[in-house]
Amino acid sequence: MSLRERKVAKKKEDILRSASLVISRNGYQNATMEDIAAELLMTKGALYYYFKNKEEILYSCHDLILSAAMEQMEAIYQEELSSMDKMKKAIKTHLDIAIREKEVFNLIVKPEQLFSEDNIEEIIEKRDQYARIFDKIIAEGVKRGEFTVSDKKMARMIILGATNWVQVWYSPEGKFKKEKVEDIYAEYFLKMLA
Amino acid sequence: MSLRERKVAKKKEDILRSASLVISRNGYQNATMEDIAAELLMTKGALYYYFKNKEEILYSCHDLILSAAMEQMEAIYQEELSSMDKMKKAIKTHLDIAIREKEVFNLIVKPEQLFSEDNIEEIIEKRDQYARIFDKIIAEGVKRGEFTVSDKKMARMIILGATNWVQVWYSPEGKFKKEKVEDIYAEYFLKMLA
Amino acid sequence: MSLRERKVAKKKEDILRSASLVISRNGYQNATMEDIAAELLMTKGALYYYFKNKEEILYSCHDLILSAAMEQMEAIYQEELSSMDKMKKAIKTHLDIAIREKEVFNLIVKPEQLFSEDNIEEIIEKRDQYARIFDKIIAEGVKRGEFTVSDKKMARMIILGATNWVQVWYSPEGKFKKEKVEDIYAEYFLKMLA
Amino acid sequence: MSLRERKVAKKKEDILRSASLVISRNGYQNATMEDIAAELLMTKGALYYYFKNKEEILYSCHDLILSAAMEQMEAIYQEELSSMDKMKKAIKTHLDIAIREKEVFNLIVKPEQLFSEDNIEEIIEKRDQYARIFDKIIAEGVKRGEFTVSDKKMARMIILGATNWVQVWYSPEGKFKKEKVEDIYAEYFLKMLA
DNA sequence: GATGAATGAGCATTCATTCAT
DNA sequence: CATGAATGAATGCTCATTCAT
């Protein structure tokens, strides 16, 4: 990658970071191009040099985080661990991301209202891919006899639902430390899957 | 209540129902005053006779549903049932509301972005009140020895998080019937609390 | 038509008149909604109460004039006149419109660049309909032995082309009076068709 | 002219050719500096090294074509031919240019909307110069007794108007071949002038 | 000479809100 | 009470133009 390409890539990242920030503060619909640019001391016109339109920024934001999450999760799946430990690690990792990326991660919730038809399929597919890693961990656990579940998919929904929800109430200043939350969540879910 | 007052109250209800409907269809940000009025064969100007502004409609919508939910939940809490059965019923009821009221219920998620400071405190207080009924059911179950949980509040968060999430993926046309979902969710959570 | 409907119709007409004026002054691409509104002492937002978007204003402008022209021309065709006189009258009428409606009439020239696919077909069809009235007059003249032309369609193109061009150079303050222009044009074309 | 000067001149020509092309494709208002540069594999910034601004490109484009046309037309006027043949040749040549240069030639139509005051006078003067060659041919024909016209200027307007209009409807894929069109047009006009 | 990057002014469009009637 | 009409502020996006490197 040439110097220039790296500069562009860096700038794009900056923009996505700024966008994430603004979205976190105001929500997607209230995040204006102006806001995103101002955060970077640019003018909104400049954003269009790097991204085609607002949706592309949003999409990239989302993609960036989800891709990274997927990578981590896939790595966990590949590790040589008991299913219990794998799930524990997966839950903790997911919680970690959901808390750190709060709003952007939250975009996953209603893609139909935020993305145009061009992107929506890919979005949903990626989301499903991510979810399927949890399915695989559960399936593995069941096969190994570590887990007993009446419906695997539903179990995954419960786990992901509950962990996604954490961003609604979690605050770094709150009574619970992040690590504590992760431990308890993992404990409960393992009990549920046992 | 005079006849006129009753008429006004009726109209307000109509408006809230329409607002709920439109919000469910399009999401809050895409629900225009025009849409809400059109559904009732009124003009948007008339809405301002009954409500101060859009936020007040939203607030009332939210309040209406949450109040009703609270009432149901409180009734369940008062019933003479084992904690297991109480929780089962509570979960099913909550799921039922979350599915039926989808979008409006979803407003709970990020009140800071939707409500001005005037309303936000009250909103959060009410939400907490609702949640506290679950806390009470859990506490009761623990006292009676039916549940064993390391952290009551966290257990409640998990339950509510997972059940709120259901609206993200549930569709009446989908593979799972509502009753089936309710059963499985209840089963998993009871296992978790046991 | 109720009072209100008439009021709306009147306002729409006003807007179209204003749009015509502004388009005449600045050309279509340089005619902003702001300009059109300002001319009527309205704000641009109000225009959207009457028309869906800028293109619809443009389209209506165009349609209004072309429809009126078509009516006049059809009437001329129906009159009991020699083909010579009919053509003379048609040419004069067309010149009259082309001069009076200058810019708006000029929109006919490149519809592909100005109209979206939704309207373009109808636009072109209407333009062709109008042209076909000239074809009929020529054909009639040929049948009656008043005209001799090697190619009817080409003759019509020449006549319409030349008369449309008149708006490029004609000015009320110029050396030639409108009536004089009309007479000379008619004379030349009749000689051409004879 | 030094080597460097020649290089610059060459580049300017390239730019004008590209501009013509892009304008022909999209129309002037939709021809962006970006488009013009892209065609030459340059960046739009570079265009400003050769031309002060977009208008100057447009102006030069227009000037280039009109100058070439004038040269051809002047040559025709100088030829030793009957007025009939001269006019025939002139019409064919004009049609040829109008068809080939379509959009750029079309700029002539409303110079006031496209050019600033600095250029407009010169534009109009050049356009008139071009037209005057037709006047001279007609005048010559009248003097020689080949043509009989009641008003020379008006005859020229009709001829130029009709031939300019040809670009509105002519298409290489259409039913009429270019040569056929030229022949018929010449025939009609000569009949008109006879 | 040329490029990448940025600017800033402008425009169509949307929509909550207001208010005379 | 309700409506029709209008407002105005906001927003995404485009593009000619500039300029440091």
Side-chain angles (χ1 to χ4, degrees):
Chain A
M1 191 153 52
S2 77
L3 174 63
R4 197 168 56 67
E5 281 173 323
R6 253 177 304 159
K7 265 190 179 170
V8 167
K10 167 85 165 58
K11 198 87 191 186
K12 279 188 162 193
E13 253 181 67
D14 286 348
I15 292 173
L16 295 181
R17 222 189 314 281
S18 169
S20 295
L21 189 67
V22 175
I23 290 171
S24 288
R25 261 209 303 266
N26 311 331
Y28 174 63
Q29 305 264 14
N30 300 319
T32 70
M33 293 299 271
E34 191 97 38
D35 292 339
I36 296 172
E39 194 72 32
L40 294 166
L41 305 177
M42 310 167 96
T43 53
K44 58 182 163 174
L47 297 180
Y48 289 88
Y49 186 79
Y50 297 96
F51 293 95
K52 211 174 93 244
N53 52 31
K54 193 181 169 185
E55 184 175 337
E56 206 186 283
I57 292 183
L58 174 63
Y59 177 76
S60 300
C61 256
H62 176 273
D63 193 56
L64 192 69
I65 289 166
L66 201 50
S67 294
M70 194 120 62
E71 224 170 284
Q72 283 183 65
M73 213 49 87
E74 189 65 48
I76 290 170
Y77 176 62
Q78 301 297 347
E79 286 184 46
E80 303 263 347
L81 290 170
S82 70
S83 291
M84 293 283 265
D85 285 344
K86 239 182 234 186
M87 179 54 85
K88 198 168 180 176
K89 213 163 176 179
I91 288 166
K92 287 186 173 202
T93 302
H94 184 76
L95 273 174
D96 188 55
I97 299 166
I99 285 172
R100 256 191 304 113
E101 305 292 354
K102 207 167 153 47
E103 285 297 325
V104 181
F105 205 70
N106 205 15
L107 297 176
I108 306 177
V109 182
K110 1 184 190 167
E112 322 78 27
Q113 275 168 32
L114 300 176
F115 293 100
S116 68
E117 290 187 5
D118 301 339
N119 290 320
I120 208 162
E121 239 174 288
E122 212 166 343
I123 293 270
I124 289 181
E125 168 55 23
K126 206 150 208 168
R127 184 177 91 178
D128 287 353
Q129 257 177 50
Y130 182 75
R132 257 177 266 133
I133 305 183
F134 277 86
D135 287 345
K136 288 195 289 182
I137 297 179
I138 295 174
E140 198 180 53
V142 170
K143 209 196 292 168
R144 290 178 181 171
E146 293 184 56
F147 299 157
T148 52
V149 290
S150 48
D151 187 290
K152 292 172 209 163
K153 203 175 155 195
M154 211 73 94
R156 177 253 285 171
M157 302 279 214
I158 287 175
I159 293 172
L160 283 183
T163 46
N164 286 333
W165 190 256
V166 86
Q167 23 136 333
V168 173
W169 59 266
Y170 177 80
S171 150
E173 289 86 28
K175 164 177 152 199
F176 295 100
K177 294 277 147 266
K178 206 176 67 162
E179 285 70 27
K180 178 82 177 166
V181 174
E182 290 173 3
D183 283 338
I184 301 184
Y185 268 61
E187 179 198 331
Y188 276 121
F189 289 132
L190 291 180
K191 188 169 163 199
M192 190 181 91
L193 293 169
Chain B
M1 191 153 53
S2 77
L3 176 62
R4 224 202 50 213
E5 281 173 325
R6 252 179 306 158
K7 263 191 178 172
V8 167
K10 166 82 166 58
K11 200 85 189 186
K12 279 188 164 194
E13 249 184 71
D14 287 347
I15 293 173
L16 295 181
R17 223 189 316 279
S18 168
S20 294
L21 188 67
V22 174
I23 290 171
S24 286
R25 262 207 304 261
N26 311 331
Y28 174 64
Q29 303 269 8
N30 300 321
T32 70
M33 294 297 270
E34 189 93 40
D35 293 338
I36 296 171
E39 195 72 32
L40 294 166
L41 305 178
M42 310 168 93
T43 54
K44 55 183 166 176
L47 297 180
Y48 288 86
Y49 181 78
Y50 299 96
F51 293 95
K52 211 175 93 237
N53 53 30
K54 196 181 170 186
E55 183 177 337
E56 207 186 284
I57 293 183
L58 175 64
Y59 176 77
S60 302
C61 246
H62 177 271
D63 194 55
L64 191 70
I65 289 167
L66 201 49
S67 295
M70 196 120 61
E71 225 169 283
Q72 282 184 68
M73 215 48 87
E74 189 65 47
I76 291 172
Y77 177 62
Q78 301 297 346
E79 287 185 47
E80 302 263 347
L81 290 170
S82 71
S83 293
M84 293 282 265
D85 284 345
K86 234 181 240 189
M87 178 55 83
K88 199 168 180 176
K89 212 163 178 180
I91 289 166
K92 287 188 174 199
T93 303
H94 184 77
L95 274 174
D96 188 55
I97 299 166
I99 286 172
R100 255 191 305 111
E101 304 292 354
K102 206 167 154 48
E103 288 294 328
V104 182
F105 205 69
N106 206 13
L107 298 176
I108 306 176
V109 182
K110 3 183 189 168
E112 322 80 28
Q113 275 165 34
L114 299 175
F115 294 100
S116 66
E117 290 185 7
D118 302 340
N119 290 320
I120 206 160
E121 240 172 289
E122 213 167 342
I123 292 269
I124 289 182
E125 170 53 23
K126 205 148 209 167
R127 183 177 90 178
D128 286 353
Q129 258 176 51
Y130 182 75
R132 256 176 267 134
I133 306 183
F134 277 85
D135 288 344
K136 288 194 289 180
I137 299 179
I138 295 174
E140 198 181 55
V142 170
K143 208 195 292 170
R144 291 178 180 170
E146 292 185 56
F147 298 158
T148 52
V149 290
S150 48
D151 186 290
K152 294 170 208 162
K153 200 175 158 198
M154 211 73 93
R156 176 254 286 171
M157 303 280 213
I158 287 176
I159 293 172
L160 284 182
T163 45
N164 285 333
W165 190 255
V166 86
Q167 24 136 332
V168 173
W169 60 265
Y170 177 81
S171 150
E173 289 86 26
K175 167 178 152 200
F176 294 101
K177 294 278 149 263
K178 205 177 65 160
E179 287 69 28
K180 177 83 177 166
V181 174
E182 290 173 4
D183 282 337
I184 301 184
Y185 268 61
E187 178 199 332
Y188 276 120
F189 289 133
L190 291 180
K191 187 170 164 200
M192 192 181 88
L193 292 170
Chain C
M1 191 153 52
S2 76
L3 175 62
R4 197 169 56 69
E5 281 173 323
R6 254 178 302 159
K7 265 191 180 169
V8 167
K10 166 85 166 57
K11 198 87 191 186
K12 278 188 164 195
E13 254 182 66
D14 286 348
I15 292 172
L16 295 181
R17 223 189 315 282
S18 168
S20 294
L21 189 67
V22 174
I23 290 170
S24 288
R25 260 207 305 264
N26 310 332
Y28 173 64
Q29 305 264 12
N30 301 319
T32 69
M33 294 298 271
E34 189 98 39
D35 293 339
I36 296 172
E39 194 73 32
L40 294 167
L41 305 177
M42 309 166 97
T43 52
K44 56 184 165 174
L47 297 180
Y48 288 88
Y49 186 78
Y50 296 96
F51 293 95
K52 212 176 89 242
N53 53 29
K54 194 180 169 186
E55 185 175 337
E56 204 185 283
I57 293 184
L58 173 62
Y59 178 77
S60 300
C61 254
H62 176 272
D63 193 57
L64 192 69
I65 290 167
L66 200 50
S67 294
M70 194 120 63
E71 224 170 283
Q72 282 184 66
M73 214 50 86
E74 190 65 46
I76 291 171
Y77 176 63
Q78 301 296 348
E79 287 184 46
E80 302 262 347
L81 291 170
S82 71
S83 291
M84 293 283 266
D85 284 344
K86 235 181 238 187
M87 179 54 86
K88 199 169 177 173
K89 213 162 175 178
I91 288 166
K92 286 186 175 201
T93 302
H94 183 77
L95 274 173
D96 190 54
I97 298 165
I99 285 171
R100 255 190 305 111
E101 305 292 355
K102 208 168 152 45
E103 285 298 326
V104 181
F105 205 70
N106 205 14
L107 296 177
I108 307 176
V109 181
K110 359 183 190 167
E112 320 80 26
Q113 276 167 32
L114 299 176
F115 294 100
S116 67
E117 289 186 6
D118 300 339
N119 289 320
I120 208 161
E121 239 173 289
E122 212 167 342
I123 292 269
I124 289 181
E125 170 53 23
K126 206 149 208 169
R127 183 176 92 176
D128 286 353
Q129 255 177 51
Y130 182 75
R132 257 178 265 132
I133 306 184
F134 278 87
D135 288 344
K136 289 195 290 182
I137 299 179
I138 295 174
E140 197 181 55
V142 170
K143 209 196 290 169
R144 290 176 180 172
E146 291 184 58
F147 299 157
T148 53
V149 290
S150 47
D151 186 291
K152 293 170 209 163
K153 201 176 156 195
M154 211 73 95
R156 177 254 285 171
M157 302 277 215
I158 287 174
I159 293 172
L160 283 182
T163 47
N164 285 333
W165 191 253
V166 85
Q167 22 135 333
V168 175
W169 59 266
Y170 177 82
S171 151
E173 290 85 27
K175 168 177 151 198
F176 295 100
K177 294 276 148 263
K178 205 177 67 162
E179 286 71 26
K180 178 82 176 168
V181 174
E182 290 173 3
D183 282 338
I184 302 184
Y185 267 61
E187 180 199 328
Y188 276 120
F189 289 131
L190 291 179
K191 190 170 161 197
M192 193 183 86
L193 292 170
Chain D
M1 192 152 54
S2 76
L3 175 62
R4 224 202 49 212
E5 282 173 325
R6 252 178 304 157
K7 264 190 177 169
V8 167
K10 167 79 167 60
K11 201 85 190 184
K12 279 188 165 193
E13 250 183 70
D14 287 347
I15 292 172
L16 296 181
R17 222 188 317 280
S18 167
S20 294
L21 188 67
V22 174
I23 290 171
S24 287
R25 261 206 304 261
N26 311 331
Y28 174 63
Q29 304 268 11
N30 300 320
T32 69
M33 294 296 271
E34 189 93 39
D35 293 337
I36 297 171
E39 195 73 32
L40 294 166
L41 306 178
M42 307 168 94
T43 53
K44 55 183 166 175
L47 297 179
Y48 288 85
Y49 182 78
Y50 298 97
F51 294 95
K52 210 173 94 238
N53 52 30
K54 195 181 170 186
E55 183 177 337
E56 206 185 281
I57 293 183
L58 174 63
Y59 176 77
S60 300
C61 245
H62 176 272
D63 194 56
L64 191 71
I65 289 167
L66 200 50
S67 294
M70 193 120 62
E71 224 170 283
Q72 281 184 68
M73 214 48 89
E74 190 65 47
I76 291 171
Y77 177 61
Q78 301 296 348
E79 287 185 45
E80 303 262 347
L81 291 169
S82 71
S83 292
M84 294 282 266
D85 285 345
K86 237 181 236 186
M87 179 54 86
K88 199 169 179 174
K89 213 163 175 178
I91 288 166
K92 287 186 173 201
T93 302
H94 184 76
L95 273 174
D96 188 54
I97 299 166
I99 286 171
R100 254 189 306 112
E101 305 291 354
K102 207 167 153 50
E103 286 295 327
V104 182
F105 205 70
N106 206 12
L107 298 177
I108 307 177
V109 182
K110 6 183 186 165
E112 322 79 27
Q113 275 166 32
L114 299 175
F115 294 101
S116 66
E117 290 186 6
D118 302 339
N119 290 320
I120 206 161
E121 241 173 287
E122 213 166 341
I123 292 270
I124 290 183
E125 170 53 22
K126 204 146 209 169
R127 183 177 92 178
D128 287 353
Q129 257 178 51
Y130 181 76
R132 258 178 264 131
I133 306 182
F134 277 86
D135 287 346
K136 288 195 291 182
I137 299 179
I138 295 174
E140 199 180 53
V142 171
K143 210 195 293 169
R144 289 177 180 171
E146 291 185 57
F147 298 158
T148 53
V149 290
S150 46
D151 186 291
K152 293 171 211 165
K153 203 177 155 192
M154 211 73 94
R156 176 255 284 172
M157 303 280 213
I158 287 175
I159 293 172
L160 284 182
T163 45
N164 286 333
W165 190 254
V166 86
Q167 23 134 333
V168 174
W169 59 266
Y170 177 81
S171 149
E173 289 85 28
K175 166 179 153 197
F176 295 100
K177 294 275 149 266
K178 204 176 68 161
E179 286 70 27
K180 179 82 176 168
V181 174
E182 289 173 4
D183 282 339
I184 301 184
Y185 267 61
E187 179 199 329
Y188 275 120
F189 288 133
L190 291 179
K191 188 170 163 198
M192 191 182 88
L193 292 170

